[in-house]
């Protein structure tokens, strides 16, 4: 019944220095909420809560790299959801789209581990699944309207963190 679902896990994400020259902005998430601070963690503001306090929707996966912040556009935020969900906001967190990657890309094996922006509308998600022969990296180039496998040539191993060329 706790609206934060997983209150003892504290992943932190920071915008690029271009977007935050003060170094005071951070994001963190729980199972159902995304929080933001702009004063170096002296105070936190809730960006979004999925579900209600009576019925939290614990859909943000608790992993160190759950929050993907776009390198140039502060309105683009992605969250690695539980159950293979991809959560994307194009307006700074006011509205969210949800895609089940296990349905969008056959063979994707959930266990999201990170969400990483590369370019204006290109977003990658990774899976730390240890199952053999599954898809572990997927991408969209249209803010989540369509998805494809993107792990061609990678070893058949769990992907715990994804790095992408963010200059695009």
């Amino acid at each position: 019944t706790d609206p934060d679902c997983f209150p003892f896990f504290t992943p932190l994400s920071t915008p690029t220095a271009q977007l935050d020259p003060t170094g005071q902005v951070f994001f963190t998430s729980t199972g159902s909420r995304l929080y933001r601070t702009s004063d170096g963690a002296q105070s936190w503001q809730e960006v979004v809560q999925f579900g209600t306090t009576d019925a939290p929707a614990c859909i943000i996966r608790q992993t160190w790299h759950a929050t993907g912040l776009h390198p140039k556009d502060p309105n683009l935020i992605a969250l690695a959801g539980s159950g293979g969900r991809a959560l994307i906001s194009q307006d700074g967190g006011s509205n969210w789209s949800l895609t089940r990657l296990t349905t969008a890309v056959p063979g994707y094996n959930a266990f999201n581990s990170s969400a990483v922006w590369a370019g204006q509308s290109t977003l990658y998600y990774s899976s730390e699944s240890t199952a053999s022969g599954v898809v572990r990296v997927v991408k969209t180039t249209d803010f989540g309207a369509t998805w494809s496998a993107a792990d061609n040539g990678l070893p058949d191993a769990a992907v715990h963190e994804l790095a992408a060329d963010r200059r695009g």
Side-chain angles (χ1 to χ4, degrees):
T1 60
D2 183 339
D4 285 322
C5 305
F6 311 104
F8 299 111
F9 197 93
T10 314
L12 292 175
S13 299
T14 59
T16 59
Q18 176 184 355
L19 289 180
D20 175 31
T22 69
Q24 300 279 314
V25 177
F26 298 93
F27 288 80
T28 192
S29 61
T30 65
S32 66
R33 294 180 186 182
L34 177 65
Y35 294 96
R36 178 183 188 272
T37 181
S38 58
D39 57 16
Q42 292 182 40
S43 64
W44 291 89
Q45 298 76 43
E46 182 181 282
V47 175
V48 65
Q49 177 180 332
F50 297 100
T52 67
T53 35
D54 292 333
C58 300
I59 64 172
I60 303 171
R61 188 151 188 271
Q62 292 303 278
T63 179
W64 293 113
H65 310 286
T67 305
L69 303 173
H70 193 278
K72 297 178 183 174
D73 187 341
N75 290 313
L76 298 177
I77 304 170
L79 293 169
S82 60
R85 293 177 182 98
L87 301 153
I88 302 170
S89 176
Q90 296 181 58
D91 58 9
S94 295
N95 296 288
W96 294 83
S97 65
L98 185 149
T99 301
R100 289 194 179 267
L101 296 173
T102 52
T103 303
V105 180
Y108 186 73
N109 201 271
F111 298 107
N112 289 338
S113 55
S114 64
V116 178
W117 291 94
Q120 184 56 34
S121 60
T122 302
L123 175 63
Y124 290 89
Y125 275 77
S126 62
S127 168
E128 57 189 6
S129 170
T130 57
S132 181
V134 299
V135 175
R136 291 193 185 85
V137 179
V138 295
K139 80 173 184 175
T140 179
T141 57
D142 53 16
F143 301 107
T146 59
W147 293 87
S148 62
D151 60 356
N152 188 25
L154 293 178
D156 191 17
V159 178
H160 298 285
E161 181 181 8
L162 208 57
D165 185 348
R166 301 176 107 180
R167 295 174 289 181

